[in-house]
Amino acid sequence: MKPPKFDYFAPDSIESALTLIAEHGDDARYLAGGQSLVPMMNFRVAAPSALIDLNGIATLRGIKVDKNSRLHIGAMTRTREIEMDSTIASANPLLHAAAPHIAHIQIRNRGTIGGSLAHADPAAEMPGIVLACNAEINSIGPAGPRSIAAGDFFEGIYSTALQDGEMITEIVFPPWPAARCWAFQEISRREGDFAMIGIAAWFDLNETGEISAASLTAIGAGDTPLRLPAAEEILSGQPPGDVLFAEAAQAAVNELDPGSDLHASAEYRREVGGVLVERALKTALQREAPGYTA
Amino acid sequence: MTTSSPYIGASVKRLEDRRFLTGTGRYIDDVKLPDMAVMAIYRSPHAHARINSIDLAAARAVPGVIDAFCAADIDMDLPVIPLRLAPFDGFERFLQRPIAQDKVRFVGEPVAVVIASDRYIAEDALDLIEVDFAPLPAVTSVDQAASGETLIHEDAGENMGTRYTVGRGDTDDAFSDAPYTRRERFTTNRHGAVPMETRGLIAEFDPDAPLLRLYGATKVNFFNRRHLAAAFDLPEEAVELIETDVGGGFGARGELYPEDYLVPIASRRNGRPVKWIEDRRENLTATNHSRDIVCDLEIATSNDGKILGMRATVQGDMGAYVRTNGGVVASKAAQFLPGPYRVPSFSCDVQFLITNKTPVGTFRGPGRFEANFCRERLLDMVAADLNIDPAELRLRNLMEPAELPYRIGELVPGDVNATFDRGNYPSALNQLLDEVGYADWKDRQGEIIDGRAHGLGIACFIESSAAGPPETARVTVAPDGNIEIRTGASSVGQGTETGLAQICADYLAIDIDRINVLHGSTTLVPTGGGTFHSRNTVMAGNAVRMAAEALRTRSIELAALRWNTDAGGLEYRDGAVHRGDDPGSILSLAELAAFARSRGPDEALAADAAFDNEGKLSYSYGAHAALVAVDVATGVIEVKKYVLTEEIGRALNPAMVQGQAVGGLVQGLGGTFLDHMIYDEDGQLLTGSFADYLLPTSTELPEITAIALEESPSEFNPMGFKGAGEGGIVAVAAAVGNAVVHALNAHGIQINDLPITPNRLRAALRATGT
């Protein structure tokens, strides 16, 4: 479990990182927190000729809310910083709540949001949360900077819209209404393991108490994190309640088409996906109305 | 001899922990010798294949590669790895040689070896080794093995390693008239010890001296020395096995493996020390697996639940070769199936089947964990069928003190004298029931609390300890009066140094800080037994006691010479010899040691002892209880509370006993819920890293109460010790399985297979329409 030989560079600016990746060609890789790439190198599943380490680029880190209430998180911001950040607790409580589910503290101390998105494990939390929140993923590459909608970013297992030499620079989350109802639920074999199935849910209520916008996202249910449009559609425009939530859960079961692996069958994922949708929606509503009991 | 005992029975802090906690332990990878090279192994990627050719040219050409070799390059007769335990007739056909010759039989079998200046280069070279394999069909289940359609060892003509029937009483008679019978099939998941520190070895082989020094040895060093000496045609004294600190053994570490031969071969070929450190990927395929049995168990009882008989078939999946532990797993599963109960008739067909998987060996509580799961699950089914409370059913059938000792019969071939020693099994269960509040829980099974179904399960166990050869100790007083203990027993991290120092300190009536314990290495003592079967405290503990007692006698003899007086008037107390007729006259151990040396170069204040229990085993027994909460909709189980009682005769160090119980229990929870070596139909291990092979972590722990009972000291050693290392693990799957079934009693599911996972539980519930 030792990697083959590789070159290592530690640039201190985005510009020099781009220059280095251009010089070292297709076999060079950016190194973020290294929590997935380095084990893959040790197993010799990945064998980059060069690592361009982004950890020394200060402009890639940081958490801020802009004047339009959008949350900006630098790609190299550690998961643990996101978990502990009080700004994020209010600026995107869903993200804040999902962060502790990501592996263990030691890994969160090192792993980054950008690294997780670029790695694109379909059972990972960060990809699911950016998709759930309609976040934008800002990147820069040989062709210059661009912004990629989360919905366009994930293309398959470990596969994204990032082109050769392109790196994520920051993730921008739309404003989070203070009254938004939300919940994150996942089932894993052990605390910190990848989700066998997980659900991120939020909805907004209009002045007459109907659901004006809803988002349901599943992780661990396919090749990428997945929105559940049929279930979202059922919620849309309706007053929240147990019957509606059960219908949404059934719609989720119907539209989920997960695979099987060592830890859970497709049937388990589909069935429990529905259970988690229903629980997440109930939990979300409870946040809005503390007196609510399911 | 009477002695005060401030240390024995006290929770003395572990002497080892200072160096472990300050990072100054010396593990095998900490050992670095001049001019040392490293070894890496090309392991078979196939479960079953013929080797057509091996090309090492490209590997040898890598800069930094010192040597590369395969079986054809080794200029000695390749020895077979010997059978140390349970060496049943027939197994001789399935023994492993250190490196594959014409065929590979499991994923991970060594095929070729690279020696290089560092591990990175060695692995680069492994990537360049070209082996032309002709794949063969893989045998991955006991049924497939039994069919014999694909032969793994062609010369044997079958895949049945061996097969025998054991029993006592007349089961045909018992079953033919029985008012109630039930038969169930149980399977226990293949998993293994997976110690935190993987294996590792360093060999220094000088054929001219001759000397083979092997660092990284542990467990059974004297047995291993004997066989390594024979394999390399050396006199035994030319082979030195050196023990380092060890980060976990649990039965798997310290047995002879292919690498114990390959590392010395590599050193001899290259005339320099060679180190091999097993990486985690290797560890999961190269180190013994365990537990993998299928058991068909049938029980006959009276209408009031009295057991009339049990009959069973146990099929053990042995993996591709029979290694040092022989038939221990399946044979002990069979032997312990009747457990601590009154089972007048029992018969068991025991089959050892060869498959294309990693070979199996012992793992903490071998066979016991498996047997307890099968029997205790079945007893709960009996209780439900006959409408008897599960605890009551057990109390009706547990042997009473008056029935002990009890000769269990020849339930392992050749083991004709096996006898449960004295004890009080109902007492251990009753104390468990009190502690866990069973009376409150038995009518609340299945209760929904906060949306989850709750259940309490119980299980009883008995297990043996302290088998094997005598153990040795030598106690020596240094010139400064400090004491050195040397023993043939090994330490695998369990606190052996502390325990032995406690005994020695009490018997010599000195401060424990004056004692240093050296263990395991063959250079320390002429012979030794080793460490397995929870035997260190019993065997090495009593050897140290005897040596300390002899040292007191020797001290008095030396004092008598020094004072030129009669030994009868002298007394040993408080770490010195006192003169009865002159109360002020004292000779300390340091003074006596100096006096001894002054008498001649070969004189010392020292004593040797060996303790032999003549094969009389002590049986630890007790009961476990688990309280679980089950999320019915997701199949997620939480163990909320766990209580166990374990009769261990006498606790040398209650804190360490507690540590053994808790550690065993946590490992048992792993085996119950998580640990699972899963193979596909091609014989590929799918759980080959910690991403998929799941171990319990600190986040998975329930509230634990472990109660060590000291009601029934062993009769077979003067200190009364019984083994305390395995009682914590052996009944975990049984208690948890019963608890889950009780929690879900509204749904009528059964748990017959391990591990219990959310996926499996939901599948079972779904089948009932839940």
Side-chain angles (χ1 to χ4, degrees), chain A residues 1-4 42-44 187 189-191 193 196 262-265 267-268 271-272 275-276 279, chain B residues 119-120 123-124 127 279 281 631 633-634 636 673 686 689 692 694-695 699-700 757-759 762 766:
Chain A
M1 293 174 69
K2 303 288 184 202
N42 287 341
F43 275 105
R44 297 188 175 227
I187 304 285
R189 290 293 300 276
R190 297 171 301 183
E191 190 175 319
D193 282 336
M196 290 191 282
L262 289 179
H263 302 299
S265 66
E267 211 164 2
Y268 180 90
E271 171 189 80
V272 176
V275 171
L276 296 189
R279 289 182 180 177
Chain B
R119 176 88 187 201
Y120 292 83
E123 292 195 22
D124 290 345
D127 279 351
D279 71 21
R281 179 162 49 176
D631 181 348
T634 63
V636 172
F673 292 119
L686 302 180
S689 80
D692 288 310
L694 309 180
L695 292 166
T699 55
E700 270 69 49
T757 68
N759 189 54
R762 275 307 311 161
R766 209 180 297 128

Side-chain angles (χ1 to χ4, degrees), chain A residues 73-291:
Chain A
I73 302 179
M76 288 298 293
T77 306
R78 310 286 174 196
T79 308
R80 183 69 172 164
E81 293 176 63
I82 292 168
E83 178 188 357
M84 303 306 285
D85 188 88
S86 57
T87 310
I88 292 178
S90 54
N92 193 317
L94 180 63
L95 169 63
H96 193 253
H101 289 271
I102 299 170
H104 299 99
I105 288 174
Q106 292 87 339
I107 293 169
R108 296 199 291 275
N109 277 337
R110 195 69 199 157
T112 65
I113 183 169
S116 175
L117 299 183
H119 182 59
D121 190 305
E125 290 81 0
M126 282 297 183
I129 297 301
V130 299
L131 183 66
C133 296
N134 303 312
E136 291 188 351
I137 294 155
N138 292 342
S139 66
I140 188 163
R146 64 169 172 150
S147 182
I148 308 166
D152 297 328
F153 186 78
F154 302 103
E155 297 187 339
I157 298 176
Y158 309 132
S159 171
T160 70
L162 291 173
Q163 301 296 305
D164 284 347
E166 191 173 11
M167 75 172 82
I168 300 171
T169 51
E170 82 175 348
I171 297 87
V172 184
F173 291 85
W176 185 274
R180 178 170 284 174
C181 302
W182 61 273
F184 181 79
Q185 304 247 334
E186 81 168 44
I187 304 285
S188 57
R189 290 293 300 276
R190 297 171 301 183
E191 190 175 319
D193 282 336
F194 281 109
M196 290 191 282
I197 181 80
I199 297 291
W202 60 259
F203 55 82
D204 296 327
L205 299 176
N206 63 21
E207 288 170 3
T208 51
E210 285 106 20
I211 294 174
S212 56
S215 167
L216 286 169
T217 304
I219 59 172
D223 291 351
T224 64
L226 296 167
R227 289 288 283 264
L228 303 172
E232 289 174 358
E233 179 60 31
I234 282 179
L235 297 172
S236 182
Q238 302 297 316
D242 288 358
V243 174
L244 183 74
F245 293 164
E247 284 173 24
Q250 187 54 52
V253 171
N254 293 343
E255 68 187 312
L256 281 169
D257 185 21
S260 294
D261 66 14
L262 289 179
H263 302 299
S265 66
E267 211 164 2
Y268 180 90
R269 291 190 155 94
R270 191 182 302 117
E271 171 189 80
V272 176
V275 171
L276 296 189
V277 165
E278 192 168 348
R279 289 182 180 177
L281 291 170
K282 288 180 179 177
T283 304
L285 189 61
Q286 275 175 304
R287 278 190 222 285
E288 164 63 14

Side-chain angles (χ1 to χ4, degrees), chain B residues 378-730:
Chain B
L378 187 58
L379 286 180
D380 261 30
M381 296 181 201
V382 172
D385 288 346
L386 299 180
N387 198 25
I388 301 170
D389 175 75
E392 172 59 27
L393 178 79
R394 287 172 171 83
L395 288 168
R396 282 181 199 176
N397 285 289
L398 282 172
M399 281 191 271
E400 294 288 339
E403 297 170 83
L404 300 171
Y406 175 71
R407 262 177 96 132
I408 65 171
E410 188 180 355
L411 301 187
V412 173
D415 190 2
V416 293
N417 292 320
T419 303
F420 288 172
D421 53 344
R422 289 184 211 288
N424 188 338
Y425 307 158
S427 171
L429 175 56
N430 281 322
Q431 291 181 66
L432 175 93
L433 298 176
D434 285 346
E435 179 66 28
V436 78
Y438 187 79
D440 295 335
W441 263 106
K442 66 178 182 179
D443 300 319
R444 295 172 59 192
Q445 302 283 18
E447 188 171 307
I448 307 294
I449 304 170
D450 292 335
R452 292 187 300 173
H454 285 60
L456 178 71
I458 59 168
C460 297
F461 73 92
I462 185 161
E463 69 110 5
S464 57
S465 60
E471 194 51 86
T472 58
R474 177 176 177 81
V475 177
T476 306
V477 183
D480 60 3
N482 286 338
I483 310 294
E484 181 184 87
I485 300 173
R486 297 175 167 215
T487 176
S490 292
S491 168
V492 287
Q494 74 278 54
T496 292
E497 293 171 32
T498 306
L500 298 184
Q502 286 178 258
I503 293 168
C504 186
D506 274 357
Y507 276 84
L508 292 182
I510 59 168
D511 192 302
I512 197 169
D513 290 337
R514 287 169 60 187
I515 299 173
N516 185 35
V517 181
L518 303 176
H519 48 78
S521 302
T522 59
T523 50
L524 296 172
V525 283
T527 185
T531 295
F532 51 95
H533 204 240
S534 294
R535 59 174 250 143
N536 263 15
T537 297
V538 177
M539 304 300 288
N542 276 287
V544 167
R545 169 188 59 80
M546 291 165 67
E549 287 174 335
L551 191 89
R552 293 168 67 128
T553 305
R554 174 83 177 127
S555 298
I556 289 172
E557 287 167 4
L558 282 166
L561 287 170
R562 176 74 176 71
W563 281 323
N564 197 18
T565 184
D566 182 28
L570 306 182
E571 187 193 359
Y572 183 97
R573 68 170 192 271
D574 299 333
V577 178
H578 297 250
R579 193 165 174 161
D581 59 3
D582 179 5
S585 287
I586 295 173
L587 280 169
S588 69
L589 288 174
E591 289 165 328
L592 289 166
F595 173 65
R597 268 190 322 284
S598 74
R599 290 165 42 83
D602 296 332
E603 292 277 339
L605 178 48
D608 290 285
F611 177 72
D612 185 357
N613 64 358
E614 295 165 346
K616 292 197 179 73
L617 307 187
S618 292
Y619 287 79
S620 307
Y621 57 84
H624 288 207
L627 176 66
V628 303
V630 183
D631 181 348
V632 177
T634 63
V636 172
I637 300 162
E638 182 195 357
V639 180
K640 297 185 75 172
K641 187 173 170 184
Y642 203 101
V643 182
L644 69 88
T645 57
E646 182 185 14
E647 170 62 54
I648 58 163
R650 185 180 185 189
L652 171 57
N653 182 320
M656 294 204 302
V657 168
Q658 174 92 2
Q660 287 292 323
V662 172
L665 154 55
V666 172
Q667 242 174 350
L669 290 174
T672 302
F673 292 119
L674 298 167
D675 289 64
H676 195 187
M677 298 288 186
I678 303 173
Y679 284 84
D680 69 11
E681 60 189 15
D682 296 324
Q684 292 292 331
L685 179 65
L686 302 180
T687 51
S689 80
F690 279 167
D692 288 310
Y693 187 87
L694 309 180
L695 292 166
T697 69
S698 58
T699 55
E700 270 69 49
L701 297 193
E703 175 196 333
I704 296 168
T705 307
I707 300 170
L709 304 177
E710 299 176 84
E711 300 177 348
S712 181
S714 171
E715 309 147 62
F716 303 134
N717 68 86
M719 304 184 75
F721 297 134
K722 298 180 174 184
E726 296 167 272
I729 195 169
V730 293

